Amino acid sequence: MYVATKGGETAIANAHALMAEDRRGDPKVQEIGAEQIREQLSLGVDRVMAEGSLYDPDLAALALKQARGDQVEAIFLLRAYRTTLPRFGYSEPVDTAAMHVHRRISATFKDVPGGQILGPTFDYTHRVIEPVTAAEEAPRSPEPLPYPLPRVAGVLGREGLLEDTPTACEEAITDLTREPLRFPADRAARLQVLARGDEGFLLGMGYSTQRGYGRSHPFAGEIRMGDVAVEFVAPELGFAIDLGDITLTECDMVNQFKGSKTEPPQFTRGYGLVFGFGERKAMAMALVDRAMRAEELGEEVTAPAQDIEFVLYHADNVEASGFVQHLKLPHHVDFQSELTLIRAMRTEQEALKEAAE
Amino acid sequence: MNDAAYNFGYLDEQTKRMIRRSILKAVAIPGYQVPFGSREMPLPYGWGTGGIQVTAAIIGIGDVLKVIDQGADDTTNAVSIRRFFSRMCGMATTEKTAEASIIQTRHRIPERPLSEGQILVYQVPIPEPLRWLEPRESETRKMHALREYGVMHVKLYEDIATKGKVATAYDYPVLVNGRYIMRPSPIPKFDTPKMHRNAALQLFGAGREKRIYAVPPHTDVVPLDFEDHPFAVETWDRPCALCGAGNTFLDEIVVNDRGGRLFVCSDTDYCNERQEAGHRGDGGAGLEAAE
Amino acid sequence: MSALQARAPAPGFQAPVADSQIAFRALLGALSSPGRMEAISASHEAPAPIGPALGAACLTLLDYDTPVWLDPVLGPEVIAWIAFHTGAPVAFAPERSAFAVILSPGSMPPIDSFALGTDEAPETGTTLLVQVPDLREGRGLHWSGPGIAGRRAVGIEGMTPGFWARRHGMGDLAPRGIDVFFFAGNRVVGLPRTTRVEV
């Protein structure tokens, strides 16, 4: 007799046990600790924090361990935990101009005030798998860097060649972790989606603008990575208190703009900001941000990256991963309905054919 | 008792208040999709996060919860969601439709008629009925506002013109209270008439799409159709092989690799109740004929 | 802040999680079946003239995301109680409110002066929380619409004929509109915008 859908409880318990066993791997190999992940796989931790929208390296490392290194799964774990946290208020906007930089480069000028600072980059490494990685050698203590460093954007801005930095807005900013996305979505809302968005998705969308689908002639005006202070004004106190430092990567992309009826020809900007050291993501974000400004700047909207609804509704990997993978769940009732319909239509078609003959 | 490490129902009180306010507006505007600040849940999107958030916002310690997926209480996802609520709320659960105060469902409406005071919570993947005709939310929102539903009728009519009938077998579009076109979630056409003037309150949660909508009790829910092509539900040419019911939605089970098939009730509780009451099907006697 | 500290407001819910769930289910039942009486048994100590059901509704629905319009008859003690337990900002203009707490229905602003929502976002209409002297089932005006099998006679004491006439005139605005809860003692009746009331 038919028992296929029975035994759900046992099946789930068995699956959980198997997963725990697979996660541990060969018990003869030493178990990895969350601290090791945090310290030695820190870029993986950074991505989990960025797309998980929660700055907590210890939790992100733990999530990566639990997720067996699956980034999207770890991001999901962090997001689900984040839901349960009470909200005390909003911090002051972080001041990235006052960033204590570890890396700062500009592709638009040979040299900039404060200098080009390469920092801990893969950029000029040869991608050769080394039997002993450099990290296992005794690390060299870094030279102290000048700080704060002036922004590259200021150089162009002084001549009026670059559009102004948007001024701080007085209106309350939409918080997409608490409210649904609504259209038209303003830039603050769009940037929030991009900051949480999937790195791979944004990379592909940003790349497509470079290949002609919404071309915007981008230059990396400035990329900086370093630590900034997070401050919070408690209403009882009336002044800002320092909650601690977080590491951020910021990208100011500079793009050609032919000008419009109201604006003279000048450079426009695309902006990227992510938790941790996430340069690829910050740059892709800046490209996509600029692409989505097409309508606002009076450009023709033709490419996928310029299509605001398309980009914003498909950038979140926790949503996308869930909905793609939900196809694994049983759908036999719907399939049965389709089956019945197809059979009925075939029967009718055959009857019609016979009648015609 | 619920798991003390978590809030009752997992969600914090602020989130519950937000969802509760959305539910009230959904009830006040039947069939209209209320945007809400859907949260990440510890289950993936697509697994019923919308339904889970709705249930978490309404459930109390005195409730009795039933969870079904494809009509059955023992499918893995139904088991998983039921366990989630047992852990997070500690309320009673049941497999019996008649005993439940809240029934969370994916893809089916129970066969046994629901009664006044019961709440049916649907898990919704795509809430927007016009989505396949117009992918843009900003456009579909306007179409609902202006009651501009011509495209939907054209689409259904094209089906009839080219295929002889409306080629939609599940998630069949309905008109609620004469105002809003609504997706009933992917329930089979067979279940659509059960929504009409149902005594229970019907709530719909779409987590990923961040929408909640509702059909109050005793409210008109009418499938879109044409006079010369009236809406019709699926029928089977045989009764359930287990309980002999001839008026239920049947799952088709492939029992061997020679194409042998068995037809049994998709609603396992209904089927079990009938069997307990002494009803018997032919146990698949027709199986040999099929082979 | 200092005024609040000087004299602590009366207690809110004894068990906030369970009490607000119980109160919400009564409100949900009331709005789902317009005109049907629901009882709210959750306990709190709202200062007079806020009754048990209205007080429970305030604690259940209001928070810092919901601007609330307060009936001018409400004294500082009541205002402090609502502010302390819910954190809801006060809306001075009725059309800017998500909720309105009304205790003198005879002199309340016209129903259509509150937020009506828009055709694209009808859910942004104000929800009125109106405390009246008494509620009666089986006698009064005839209600029909979603949530009601056939029709139901409901008596809401204290509402003026002008209120019903004005509300009736708003039918053309649908889906925009105003949803109302009426409270008396520990009882509540819901009146969503879709209910037709014969006047």
Side-chain angles (χ1 to χ4, degrees):
Chain A
M1 193 44 71
Y2 155 64
V3 287
T5 61
K6 288 283 167 190
E9 295 267 2
T10 323
I12 289 175
N14 288 343
H16 288 181
L18 275 173
M19 190 179 58
E21 192 186 328
D22 273 12
R23 173 163 46 222
R24 178 60 184 90
D26 185 345
K28 290 198 286 286
V29 176
Q30 198 186 355
E31 186 178 351
I32 193 169
E35 301 82 9
Q36 291 166 303
I37 295 173
R38 186 192 65 210
E39 295 303 318
Q40 295 167 34
L41 301 177
S42 58
L43 298 184
V45 170
D46 283 356
R47 181 174 171 199
V48 172
M49 294 195 299
E51 292 168 39
S53 295
L54 185 68
Y55 197 95
D56 189 327
D58 292 304
L59 265 184
L62 197 59
L64 263 175
K65 180 173 191 277
Q66 189 181 325
R68 303 170 61 186
D70 183 323
Q71 296 251 315
V72 177
E73 184 65 27
I75 290 162
F76 180 18
L77 284 169
L78 211 58
R79 291 258 195 105
Y81 173 73
R82 185 186 190 284
T83 318
T84 66
L85 300 175
R87 181 170 305 249
F88 300 112
Y90 292 89
S91 74
E92 295 296 294
V94 292
D95 181 7
T96 52
M99 177 184 278
H100 195 152
V101 299
H102 302 309
R103 168 167 167 79
R104 194 284 294 268
I105 54 160
S106 169
T108 47
F109 295 99
K110 186 178 181 195
D111 201 3
V112 283
Q116 306 268 17
I117 298 157
L118 283 187
T121 178
F122 288 125
D123 285 353
Y124 305 102
T125 61
H126 297 150
R127 269 54 165 215
V128 180
I129 295 177
E130 307 276 2
V132 178
T133 55
E136 285 174 31
E137 295 162 10
R140 190 168 51 85
S141 50
E143 293 156 31
L145 292 170
Y147 134 90
L149 281 181
R151 280 175 189 283
V152 175
V155 180
L156 287 167
R158 267 193 293 277
E159 270 187 78
L161 294 177
L162 183 67
E163 67 173 334
D164 291 335
T165 314
T167 48
C169 77
E170 297 297 320
E171 295 265 317
I173 289 176
T174 312
D175 178 350
L176 289 178
T177 65
R178 302 184 67 243
E179 298 160 49
L181 185 59
R182 289 174 203 262
F183 293 95
D186 62 19
R187 195 167 175 209
R190 298 194 311 247
L191 287 168
Q192 282 177 61
V193 175
L194 298 184
R196 283 156 64 87
D198 182 73
E199 178 172 321
F201 176 81
L202 294 186
L203 185 64
M205 295 309 281
Y207 176 47
S208 72
T209 67
Q210 292 179 280
R211 290 195 64 263
Y213 290 86
R215 189 156 155 68
S216 61
H217 307 273
F219 298 94
E222 179 171 356
I223 295 162
R224 54 168 65 195
M225 182 274 289
D227 304 329
V228 298
V230 178
E231 294 183 330
F232 180 73
V233 178
E236 304 86 271
L237 295 175
F239 56 86
I241 48 169
D242 192 337
L243 300 180
D245 285 358
I246 60 171
T247 304
L248 293 175
T249 307
E250 182 187 53
C251 173
D252 217 341
M253 202 67 87
V254 174
N255 305 267
Q256 189 194 78
F257 176 54
K258 294 190 193 74
S260 67
K261 283 189 195 106
T262 52
E263 299 290 331
Q266 60 180 326
F267 291 103
T268 55
R269 315 164 82 164
Y271 186 71
L273 184 72
V274 295
F275 282 161
F277 187 13
E279 205 158 272
R280 189 189 299 120
K281 164 81 182 274
M283 293 177 75
M285 176 175 170
L287 288 175
V288 178
D289 169 47
R290 174 59 184 79
M292 283 196 289
R293 297 181 62 206
E295 196 181 337
E296 165 204 338
L297 295 169
E299 297 167 345
E300 206 182 346
V301 175
T302 54
Q306 297 169 321
D307 186 329
I308 294 174
E309 269 205 36
F310 178 82
V311 172
L312 297 190
Y313 268 138
H314 302 112
D316 193 283
N317 55 25
V318 178
E319 290 177 4
S321 162
F323 201 49
V324 166
Q325 294 199 66
H326 108 285
L327 293 171
K328 294 183 284 199
L329 294 178
H331 283 77
H332 55 256
V333 164
D334 294 347
F335 188 72
Q336 185 68 54
S337 303
E338 291 268 303
L339 211 53
T340 310
L341 179 72
I342 298 270
R343 280 180 186 145
M345 285 167 75
R346 286 173 69 106
T347 311
E348 278 168 32
Q349 205 177 42
E350 273 159 33
L352 279 174
K353 236 187 262 170
E354 274 170 34
E357 279 161 14
Chain B
M1 277 301 289
N2 68 308
D3 189 325
Y6 292 91
N7 306 312
F8 182 89
Y10 192 75
L11 301 170
D12 61 286
E13 290 305 295
Q14 158 72 20
T15 299
K16 282 188 213 166
R17 268 195 300 274
M18 176 273 296
I19 296 175
R20 286 168 181 166
R21 291 192 294 257
S22 303
I23 292 172
L24 290 179
K25 285 300 176 193
V27 167
I29 317 165
Y32 167 76
Q33 303 161 50
V34 180
F36 82 111
S38 176
R39 302 291 196 256
E40 267 94 6
M41 297 302 285
L43 280 79
Y45 287 116
W47 263 246
T49 54
I52 291 169
Q53 287 180 80
V54 168
T55 299
I58 64 175
I59 202 164
I61 193 70
D63 276 306
V64 180
L65 178 70
K66 172 182 165 81
V67 184
I68 52 172
D69 188 332
Q70 315 294 301
D73 299 86
D74 200 30
T75 41
T76 39
N77 196 40
V79 169
S80 160
I81 292 172
R82 193 164 55 241
R83 277 169 39 155
F84 173 75
F85 281 109
S86 292
R87 177 174 173 195
M88 296 300 167
C89 304
M91 77 300 127
T93 63
T94 184
E95 296 194 1
K96 301 222 170 299
T97 300
E99 288 174 2
S101 58
I102 300 172
I103 302 170
Q104 179 165 328
T105 179
R106 177 168 171 264
H107 296 192
R108 277 307 317 269
I109 298 175
E111 304 289 2
R112 170 192 275 276
L114 301 175
S115 52
E116 195 97 20
Q118 286 186 306
I119 301 178
L120 185 58
V121 179
Y122 295 77
Q123 302 172 195
V124 180
I126 304 273
E128 179 48 68
L130 306 169
R131 185 59 71 230
W132 308 148
L133 308 169
E134 170 51 64
R136 264 157 232 290
E137 171 67 15
S138 41
E139 288 302 315
T140 52
R141 189 148 276 276
K142 269 184 224 140
M143 290 158 80
H144 282 295
L146 302 171
R147 220 171 149 176
E148 215 177 80
Y149 292 145
V151 284
M152 181 60 101
H153 289 102
V154 169
K155 189 256 170 195
L156 297 178
Y157 190 77
E158 277 175 1
D159 267 13
I160 291 170
T162 57
K163 297 163 193 150
K165 58 170 66 189
V166 175
T168 300
Y170 58 91
D171 215 343
Y172 193 97
V174 292
L175 186 68
V176 177
N177 189 34
R179 176 58 180 83
Y180 283 102
I181 289 187
M182 183 187 95
R183 277 180 100 125
S185 89
I187 56 169
K189 256 175 24 165
F190 182 87
D191 285 340
T192 312
K194 296 178 190 167
M195 303 180 95
H196 183 55
R197 298 187 185 169
N198 197 311
L201 168 62
Q202 303 175 73
L203 300 176
F204 301 78
R208 189 178 39 78
E209 299 279 337
K210 303 171 178 60
R211 298 289 184 273
I212 286 173
Y213 52 104
V215 175
H218 312 294
T219 300
D220 286 353
V221 179
V222 182
L224 303 180
D225 62 358
F226 297 90
E227 259 174 36
D228 48 347
H229 282 89
F231 176 83
V233 302
E234 299 91 335
T235 53
W236 284 261
D237 55 5
R238 68 197 89 183
C240 169
L242 300 180
C243 76
N247 58 346
T248 59
F249 188 91
L250 301 181
D251 281 345
E252 180 174 338
I253 316 296
V254 179
V255 287
N256 57 39
D257 56 10
R258 298 183 302 280
R261 280 168 297 192
L262 201 59
F263 287 82
V264 299
C265 288
S266 128
D267 184 337
T268 47
D269 170 56
Y270 188 78
C271 197
N272 289 340
E273 274 192 3
R274 278 182 52 87
Q275 292 178 63
E276 279 162 22
H279 297 282
R280 285 286 175 275
D282 63 7
L287 199 56
E288 279 158 49
E291 290 172 44
Chain C
M1 218 58 195
S2 57
L4 288 181
Q5 281 155 351
R7 191 162 153 222
F13 280 140
Q14 279 181 2
V17 173
D19 286 347
S20 53
Q21 188 272 335
I22 289 166
F24 171 71
R25 282 292 279 280
L27 294 167
L28 179 62
L31 202 66
S32 303
S33 297
R36 196 182 69 195
M37 206 98 76
E38 295 273 348
I40 298 183
S41 53
S43 60
H44 57 81
E45 292 171 34
I50 301 268
L54 173 60
C58 289
L59 297 177
T60 302
L61 297 174
L62 306 183
D63 58 30
Y64 59 78
D65 280 336
T66 56
V68 58
W69 185 88
L70 297 172
D71 195 321
V73 300
L74 292 174
E77 203 187 345
V78 171
I79 293 171
W81 185 80
I82 291 176
F84 180 82
H85 290 293
T86 73
V90 172
F92 293 98
E95 72 273 15
R96 301 289 294 265
S97 63
F99 288 91
V101 177
I102 295 164
L103 285 98
S104 51
S107 57
M108 66 180 269
I111 179 169
D112 52 1
S113 63
F114 291 94
L116 300 169
T118 64
D119 286 336
E120 287 193 24
E123 78 279 13
T124 50
T126 308
T127 303
L128 307 186
L129 309 176
V130 186
Q131 185 167 298
V132 297
D134 200 13
L135 300 168
R136 286 187 313 272
E137 256 176 321
R139 276 185 304 142
L141 300 173
H142 284 115
W143 294 16
S144 61
I148 304 171
R151 52 180 210 169
R152 181 177 276 143
V154 190
I156 310 289
E157 204 176 292
M159 301 313 292
T160 63
F163 170 85
W164 296 111
R166 198 125 187 162
R167 183 182 179 279
H168 188 74
M170 289 164 60
D172 294 344
L173 297 173
R176 305 163 68 206
I178 301 282
D179 309 307
V180 189
F181 287 101
F182 295 108
F183 304 91
N186 66 348
R187 292 162 302 149
V188 55
V189 160
L191 175 66
R193 65 191 72 184
T194 46
T195 302
R196 289 176 297 279
V197 179
E198 283 173 33
V199 292

